[in-house]
Amino acid sequence: MSGRQIDRERIADGVLAAVVGALGTAVAAFDDGTTALDHVLVLLASAALAFHRAAPRAVLAAAVVLGTAYVVHADPGPLCALPVLGAVHTAARVGHRGLAAAGSAVFLAGYVATGPGTQNAAERAGLLAGWFLCAVVTGLADRNWQAYLRQTEQRALEAERTREEAALRRAGEERLRIARELHDSLTHSISIVKLQAGVAVHLARKRGDEVPPALLAIQEASGEAMRELRSALQVLRADEPTGTPAQLVERARAAGLAVDLLVTGDERPLPRGVDRAAYRIVQEALTNAARHAGPAEVRVRIDYGTRKTSGQPGELTTAVDDDGGADPDRPPVPGTGLTGMRERVAALGGTLRAAPRPEGGFSVHVRLPLEEAV
């Protein structure tokens, strides 16, 4: 939240407290027998509303105590409940329904106990009870509305992020397709041209004939074309990560996902293929958790293991677990993301387990050998 927005909220809370205080003191002035102490109680109860965002429970307690003391001392009309109504509404708005109802009951008990036992007093008490009920209900409705707005905003941010990731994935797949097409067509043809030109030059020199300049130019041009084509294919096949798993975790946290990251083992630079695969797997797993796990907690663990000195390959272990609503009895149908994970892991000679956990939630567990991926 920006500082400007905080300042606006503080001004709004101050205005609310001032308006309620002005109304309360104006009403109290027309009641018979109102004393200076009564005006102080009304003003203090109203002033407490200025802090309802920072301490809603304390504001509710102060408003109820001060408001009850006022009605016990002065026996005012129903409008004396304005500060307490505001405190009850704000307490219900932040989820303290029980406290809001209890505060309403305490104030109503004090109001009824001090009023005369007439039909008019009973009607006023019933009116106040309806007001307090409305304050609690509107507070809960406001809370649900704010939660809906936050959820909608989070979904919009998540949709934007997944669209960007899907676009990057499609672009990478298209680059790989073009690279395969170029490799299968141009590379083979240029290799044949270079080979034939080399054979012709060799035979001409073996016979003692003068090598035609055009033949030498073909041999040189075909070699240069091969080198440039290899460079172009290397660029097209480049699929380097755009960050680190730690940065992915930070992005997920910024989007509202509760994520913990644990890195263990002998951390060191990884082979390019393993590094790229680990990044993409964590990226896909966090995306799936944000989309399907609901309000869950996610744990990302990356274990580098230890350096091997006996000739045995080390391995990188990557695990992403959430405690969402995945059911072990109803495993999900593998989509494009899980299929892409399996293909990456299989290409590096690793193993992947992606399935619901027995205790609930979903788990992605990957082991990638290091030496085989170099």
Side-chain angles (χ1 to χ4, degrees):
M1 185 179 296
S2 64
R4 183 175 298 178
Q5 184 175 356
I6 293 176
D7 292 339
R8 286 199 298 265
E9 290 181 350
R10 289 176 178 172
I11 294 173
D13 296 341
V15 171
L16 171 65
V19 170
V20 173
L23 289 174
T25 53
V27 172
F30 290 99
D31 290 334
D32 296 334
T34 302
T35 65
L37 175 61
D38 298 325
H39 285 290
V40 170
L41 292 174
V42 171
L43 290 175
L44 289 177
S46 302
L49 293 177
F51 306 96
H52 72 87
R53 297 181 194 272
R57 288 180 293 185
V59 168
L60 175 63
V64 170
V65 170
L66 294 170
T68 304
Y70 171 47
V71 298
V72 169
H73 185 265
D75 188 23
L79 288 178
C80 68
L82 284 177
V84 185
L85 283 170
V88 167
H89 171 81
T90 55
R93 182 175 179 269
V94 296
H96 304 305
R97 294 174 295 181
L99 290 176
S104 302
V106 170
F107 181 82
L108 285 173
Y111 187 84
V112 172
T114 57
T118 62
Q119 180 68 23
N120 185 32
E123 291 177 356
R124 290 194 300 175
L127 176 64
L128 278 180
W131 287 0
F132 279 112
L133 179 61
C134 289
V136 174
V137 171
T138 55
L140 294 177
D142 192 12
R143 173 182 172 82
N144 293 334
W145 175 250
Q146 294 297 328
Y148 171 75
L149 291 180
R150 287 193 298 269
Q151 187 178 20
T152 302
E153 182 180 0
Q154 181 178 349
R155 287 179 177 175
L157 293 174
E158 180 62 24
E160 181 66 23
R161 186 173 66 85
T162 53
R163 278 198 298 269
E164 293 177 358
E165 293 176 355
L168 291 174
R169 188 183 300 114
R170 287 194 297 268
E173 292 172 353
E174 183 64 16
R175 289 198 308 269
L176 292 177
R177 186 190 67 80
I178 294 173
R180 285 194 297 268
E181 292 294 333
L182 290 176
H183 180 272
D184 294 341
S185 58
L186 292 181
T187 304
H188 177 73
S189 300
I190 295 175
S191 297
I192 294 298
V193 171
K194 185 175 182 300
L195 177 62
Q196 293 294 338
V199 170
V201 170
H202 174 72
L203 291 177
R205 289 173 176 169
K206 186 176 181 179
R207 291 194 301 265
D209 298 337
E210 183 179 357
V211 179
L215 195 58
L216 292 174
I218 292 173
Q219 185 183 31
E220 183 178 356
S222 59
E224 182 65 23
M226 282 293 296
R227 287 189 292 272
E228 292 181 358
L229 183 57
R230 287 195 185 99
S231 298
L233 292 177
Q234 186 176 5
V235 171
L236 287 173
R237 285 171 173 161
D239 187 21
E240 295 298 329
T242 57
T244 64
Q247 291 173 336
L248 289 175
V249 169
E250 290 301 324
R251 291 180 204 164
R253 288 172 180 166
L257 190 66
V259 189
D260 288 330
L261 173 64
L262 176 63
V263 179
T264 59
D266 188 7
E267 189 171 354
R268 57 195 183 275
L270 298 173
R272 186 177 64 179
V274 174
D275 189 32
R276 182 166 59 242
Y279 177 89
R280 296 303 185 196
I281 288 168
V282 172
Q283 183 182 46
E284 185 65 31
L286 289 178
T287 299
N288 290 340
R291 295 175 62 185
H292 305 298
E297 294 184 358
V298 184
R299 294 175 298 279
V300 179
R301 183 173 63 87
I302 300 176
D303 182 13
Y304 286 82
T306 58
R307 293 182 185 272
K308 300 294 184 178
T309 58
S310 59
Q312 298 179 355
E315 67 177 10
L316 177 75
T317 302
T318 303
V320 182
D321 302 321
D322 67 69
D323 57 0
D327 187 354
D329 297 329
R330 293 185 298 173
V333 178
T336 305
L338 287 178
T339 302
M341 283 189 197
R342 295 190 185 279
E343 291 176 351
R344 286 182 180 275
V345 173
L348 295 171
T351 60
L352 178 142
R353 187 185 70 82
R357 303 192 305 165
E359 62 271 27
F362 199 81
S363 174
V364 176
H365 192 274
V366 178
R367 293 181 180 273
L368 295 173
L370 298 182
E371 285 191 357
E372 296 180 13
V374 177

